[in-house]
Amino acid sequence: MTSMNDNKYSGASEAELGFLKEIVRMLPAGLTVQDAHGELLLVNDAAAAQLGMDGSRPSPDLSPRREACRQALSAGQPVVTEEALHGGAARQVLLTTHRPVRLAGRELLISASSDITEQKNFEDQLFRSAYFDELTGLPSRRVIEHRANGLLSERSGGERFALAFLDVDNFKHINDYYGHAVGDALLVELSKRLGRDLRDSDMLSRISGDEFLLLLSPIQSQEEVAEFMQSTLERLTAPFFIDNSEVFASTSVGISLYPDHGRSFETLRQNADIAMYRIKNDGKGSAAFFDSSMEREALARMKIEQSLRLAILEKRFCCAFQSKVDIRTQAVKGIEALVRLRDDEGVIQAPGSFINLAGELGLIDELTHLVLAEIVKSIDLINETFDPEATISINVAAKQAGNPEFMRSFARALEETGFPQRFMIEVTEDAFVAKNHFQAEILPMFRKLGVGISIDDFGTGYSSLSALADITADEIKIDRSFITDIHKRPRSQGILRAIESLSEALGMTVIAEGLESYEELAYLQAATKIRYAQGYYFSRPIFLEELKLATPLSSESRASVASRPMQQNRQGYSRASGYRR
Ligand code: C2E
Ligand code: MG
Ligand code: MG
């Protein structure tokens, strides 16, 4: 076959010409040829369909194409364009090259179009999933970041805008309680309520699970933003009706302002997050603007976080032991292991400064195993210092107690010590009343091993006295807040009597926590049947190793270390241990 390039049309036979015309007509790509005046000289079938000339679809708006053609002809250069000829379901996108040519002495324009609709649809789908959240249809984090960066680059210290970080309060509980379908529906409804009243120039984005970012731009003043956020939050307090349930939700919001609180998206987002964190800790459900004191707090928190991770990694933990004493005979009934952290500077830290954080960071399970390991390692010294029969209590956080996986591994570790019946686990009452498997499934596992169960800090949790009847425990420790100055506080005395008689009926041993003074002890002895107490009056938490180094013990002095009312001891231990409160 002769090619078009090699032959002039005039030289081709009639048959060849017909053959070529037929091929051009049937080409899958759209092809048109027009003269310098825009007069169409040739339109193949594909082009006729694309341009709506064959009646198969409505004629599209061809003015952009005409403009491209004009450009190509006047420049004498090919022009490549992407043409969206039809929208909606009939969407059609063409990639067209308009090429000016000189043929047989005439200026012509050949336009060839390939249909790239499918590829475009696929790209759009990819784009949507990269830039829009599937559940709520809101723009993703990338989009809002892009918008903010646009605003930041546009202006050199110019107009202000606000970035708000929103986090739904207790969303995990809502999910757990109502199920994920309701949780998802709630997020959709929430995003609708949040998005109401926004201007075209504002943007709401869902950046992860229950977190949203809101960009308000432009803004006039901080007061204006505060007012707007306030009315938005009020709108969120009305119940959501989802799947026949009335769901209540609140949201905590932290806000940063450009340029006051940062000059990059990342800084503004971080600072809004820091302000949000403050609201979460202050009781949730409201909004706060970032300020520099929050930044200092966040830095301090981060420092503690880092040093805690490092301390766990380097096993820089030790245990102090405090005895539970029979207040009549001074005999040691048991001891409680209280974990301590040796920080970067070698200072011993009490658990108040790190236990909750360890829980939040998911480090507490490891910590509890470390405590057990420490006890096992020191068991001979423990027996030497205290009574070899004394029970050994280990604290377990309520969150851990409700986690069957951890509790199973912990039970196994206790069994592997070879003396599981020496141990007690101390758990706060919340663990017993929470809707989890602690009472029904986890406790029996420990019972079987002979491990005792103690309710710690009783009276400070959410349960009522009547809940005690459903709790199966061996020991109940009355919180220090009831014991302090008990001899002077008739109301606490009444509560104490009630707990005491109920515990007695249920066969639980009662321990008074935080006994500090002779007067408190005298009251317990005279007015109650409580047999056991734990507190500075008898002994501060002590470190075995340092105790051994500081004062080699004779067998007589041993008993007194563990359970003697002691003024001098108090100081001795804090000096020997370096323990600071
Ligand atoms: P807790 O289990 O109720 O332990 C008693 C706390 O009261 C201890 O504080 C103890 O030092 C302190 N205490 C004892 N007698 C007195 C007293 O007479 N007066 C005063 N003011 N305080 C007294 P510590 O060691 O700072 O521990 C605080 C809490 O940290 C513990 O309360 C316990 O809930 C938690 N904790 C300690 N070790 C662990 C652990 O290994 N794991 C977990 N999950 N929590 C632990
Ligand atoms: Mg305890
Ligand atoms: Mg306690």
Side-chain angles (χ1 to χ4, degrees):
M1 199 196 113
T2 20
S3 88
M4 276 183 164
N5 288 343
D6 300 339
N7 291 279
K8 294 251 159 48
Y9 286 107
S10 55
S13 73
E14 201 57 30
E16 277 176 324
L17 209 57
F19 183 63
L20 281 175
K21 272 188 175 168
E22 201 54 14
I23 290 178
V24 169
R25 185 177 69 77
M26 288 166 58
L27 276 177
L31 191 81
T32 64
V33 179
Q34 55 188 292
D35 65 14
H37 309 292
E39 188 79 30
L40 283 168
L41 307 178
L42 184 150
V43 178
N44 76 349
D45 289 357
Q50 287 163 355
L51 303 177
M53 294 162 87
D54 63 353
S56 64
R57 60 176 91 207
S59 313
D61 172 16
L62 289 176
S63 44
R65 170 176 273 234
R66 277 189 215 107
E67 175 56 23
C69 293
R70 203 194 51 72
Q71 266 181 22
L73 279 167
S74 70
Q77 295 280 341
V79 169
V80 181
T81 59
E82 212 176 273
E83 303 172 301
L85 294 186
H86 301 274
R91 177 179 199 223
Q92 188 182 37
V93 187
L94 301 179
L95 185 68
T96 304
T97 307
H98 304 285
R99 183 183 299 277
V101 290
R102 222 182 141 72
L103 216 59
R106 297 171 73 181
E107 295 287 346
L108 300 175
L109 187 72
I110 302 176
S111 305
S113 307
S114 44
D115 188 329
I116 55 165
T117 311
E118 243 176 66
Q119 182 190 331
K120 272 314 224 193
N121 284 346
F122 183 62
E123 275 177 16
D124 286 359
Q125 194 188 328
L126 278 184
F127 177 86
R128 266 198 306 278
S129 58
Y131 294 106
F132 290 90
D133 169 43
E134 215 175 305
L135 180 68
T136 59
L138 290 175
S140 69
R141 180 205 167 97
R142 270 194 215 178
V143 181
I144 200 165
E145 178 169 2
H146 188 261
R147 167 73 70 85
N149 281 335
L151 291 172
L152 289 166
S153 62
E154 254 172 43
R155 43 201 77 185
S156 43
E159 262 180 85
R160 299 169 88 189
F161 67 83
L163 194 67
F165 195 112
L166 303 98
D167 187 296
V168 184
D169 298 326
N170 301 323
F171 184 68
K172 193 185 165 317
H173 293 174
I174 294 172
N175 247 342
D176 288 349
Y177 191 83
Y178 294 102
H180 286 262
V182 171
D184 280 359
L186 176 68
L187 289 175
V188 172
E189 292 307 314
L190 256 167
S191 64
K192 283 186 195 154
R193 283 196 201 174
L194 285 171
R196 220 184 288 163
D197 290 354
L198 293 186
R199 304 162 294 184
D200 286 347
S201 54
D202 299 330
M203 183 183 275
L204 175 67
S205 152
R206 179 174 176 228
I207 55 168
S208 72
D210 60 347
E211 292 174 341
F212 297 85
L213 269 185
L214 176 60
L215 179 81
L216 298 173
S217 165
I219 56 162
Q220 301 304 323
S221 64
Q222 178 163 333
E223 291 70 35
E224 173 202 28
V225 177
E227 238 171 70
F228 177 80
M229 272 333 301
Q230 197 47 45
S231 69
T232 304
L233 286 179
E234 275 163 23
R235 196 158 60 225
L236 296 185
T237 55
F240 293 86
F241 295 95
I242 298 168
D243 205 13
N244 294 325
S245 300
E246 201 178 13
V247 184
F248 286 88
S250 68
T251 302
S252 299
V253 186
I255 309 162
S256 61
L257 301 174
Y258 169 81
D260 321 47
H261 304 141
R263 290 176 174 271
S264 73
F265 171 77
E266 203 37 43
T267 310
L268 289 163
R269 191 203 58 78
Q270 252 175 30
N271 288 343
D273 190 1
I274 287 172
M276 192 277 295
Y277 191 89
R278 161 78 70 87
I279 290 290
K280 285 274 180 204
N281 283 340
D282 283 0
K284 310 188 171 74
S286 56
F289 286 90
F290 172 79
D291 70 49
S292 51
S293 74
M294 294 178 183
E295 192 173 23
R296 281 194 296 278
E297 253 172 53
L299 273 177
R301 204 166 47 236
M302 222 156 66
K303 199 171 156 236
I304 297 176
E305 248 182 63
Q306 289 308 326
S307 74
L308 186 59
R309 285 182 196 280
L310 203 66
I312 299 233
L313 204 69
E314 296 174 352
K315 299 199 185 341
R316 268 191 277 111
F317 283 93
C318 51
C319 286
F321 294 92
Q322 190 182 32
S323 38
K324 300 174 182 176
V325 178
D326 184 324
I327 57 176
R328 286 157 217 264
T329 65
Q330 315 264 308
V332 175
K333 173 192 176 352
I335 54 167
E336 176 178 9
L338 295 159
V339 72
R340 301 286 180 264
L341 175 149
R342 215 178 288 277
D343 72 12
D344 308 343
E345 280 128 39
V347 179
I348 305 271
Q349 301 286 347
S353 69
F354 63 85
I355 277 288
N356 287 343
L357 189 64
E360 276 172 35
L361 299 179
L363 300 169
I364 192 141
D365 293 351
E366 200 177 335
L367 188 71
T368 310
H369 277 289
L370 285 177
V371 167
L372 177 60
E374 166 97 5
I375 293 170
V376 172
K377 199 176 77 191
S378 329
I379 189 67
D380 291 339
L381 200 51
I382 289 173
N383 289 342
E384 240 176 71
T385 311
F386 305 98
D387 190 319
E389 300 285 303
T391 57
I392 305 167
S393 291
I394 299 181
N395 289 283
V396 170
K399 188 175 149 195
Q400 297 176 286
N403 172 3
E405 205 181 315
F406 165 73
M407 290 305 267
R408 243 175 258 129
S409 82
F410 191 53
R412 221 175 302 127
L414 285 169
E415 190 175 12
E416 280 164 12
T417 62
F419 46 92
Q421 64 293 341
R422 279 286 293 281
F423 290 100
M424 295 196 87
I425 50 175
E426 293 196 3
V427 193
T428 55
E429 61 201 290
D430 302 347
F432 291 84
V433 289
K435 274 192 204 159
N436 57 36
H437 312 287
F438 182 65
Q439 275 268 96
E441 291 161 36
I442 297 170
L443 276 192
M445 192 160 72
F446 285 83
R447 283 256 137 67
K448 228 168 98 194
L449 293 175
V451 174
I453 310 296
S454 172
I455 310 171
D456 206 350
D457 304 343
F458 187 80
T460 57
Y462 291 111
S463 70
S464 65
L465 264 188
S466 63
L468 257 191
D470 297 325
I471 294 178
T472 45
D474 305 288
E475 177 182 279
I476 178 166
K477 297 177 77 172
I478 301 174
D479 191 69
R480 178 162 68 91
S481 53
F482 297 100
I483 306 300
T484 303
D485 289 337
I486 181 79
H487 53 288
K488 294 193 238 166
R489 294 161 63 205
R491 280 178 69 84
S492 291
Q493 291 168 7
I495 295 170
L496 198 62
R497 271 198 301 279
I499 300 175
E500 187 199 334
S501 56
L502 202 56
S503 312
E504 193 184 21
L506 295 168
M508 289 189 271
T509 307
V510 179
I511 303 212
E513 282 195 275
L515 189 96
E516 290 189 357
S517 70
Y518 174 75
E519 290 78 8
E520 290 160 359
L521 173 68
Y523 176 83
L524 291 187
Q525 283 179 328
T528 74
K529 282 188 270 175
I530 291 173
R531 278 275 306 265
Y532 303 98
Q534 186 178 345
Y536 294 170
Y537 178 78
F538 292 110
S539 165
R540 284 213 167 212
I542 54 172
F543 291 94
L544 302 172
E545 293 293 342
E546 289 178 0
L547 186 72
K548 197 178 166 204
L549 289 177
T551 46
L553 294 175
S554 68
S555 55
E556 305 87 76
S557 61
R558 197 186 300 148
S560 69
V561 160
S563 69
R564 178 170 41 117
M566 49 190 118
Q567 210 56 37
Q568 78 282 28
N569 227 354
R570 221 189 237 206
Q571 277 136 26
Y573 292 137
S574 32
R575 209 180 318 115
S577 63
Y579 170 47
R580 294 186 195 159
R581 302 213 103 244

